[in-house]
Amino acid sequence: AHELRTPVTTVKGYAQMLLRARARGGEDARTGQFLAAIDEATDRLRLLADDLLDVSRLRLGRLPLRRREADLAALARAAAARFVDGG
């Protein structure tokens, strides 16, 4: 739920800022930044929705698992870097 709330909050916040700028009678200099943030957040929402659908398919047996060897140390480093970098 937290993973979904973050991009939803981002979209909502930037959309509200754009609406306030519009109500003031013009585009703010930051309008492009706001739209880019909304675009990024909606991409993240789409990916999260895809992940949820995949989990649902896995649980129903409609998406087969393809097992393969993996470098767990590299995966752990990549995951840690993602959180450190705010990714």
Side-chain angles (χ1 to χ4, degrees):
H2 173 73
E3 289 295 319
L4 288 172
R5 285 188 187 122
T6 300
V8 167
T9 301
T10 300
V11 169
K12 180 78 171 166
Y14 281 108
Q16 288 175 339
M17 286 189 269
L18 288 169
L19 288 169
R20 283 194 295 268
R22 183 176 177 207
R24 288 191 307 261
E27 287 191 10
D28 189 288
R30 298 172 293 173
T31 298
Q33 292 172 332
F34 296 162
L35 291 171
I38 289 171
D39 186 54
E40 289 175 20
T42 55
D43 285 344
R44 182 156 168 77
L45 281 171
R46 184 185 50 78
L47 291 172
L48 288 169
D50 289 346
D51 288 347
L52 287 172
L53 287 172
D54 286 346
V55 168
S56 176
R57 288 183 194 117
L58 281 168
R59 293 184 82 193
L60 294 172
R62 296 183 182 158
L63 183 66
L65 284 176
R66 292 183 305 251
R67 295 178 183 213
R68 63 180 181 182
E69 288 188 28
D71 181 348
L72 294 180
L75 274 169
R77 282 191 299 276
R82 183 173 172 210
F83 286 101
V84 171
D85 296 338

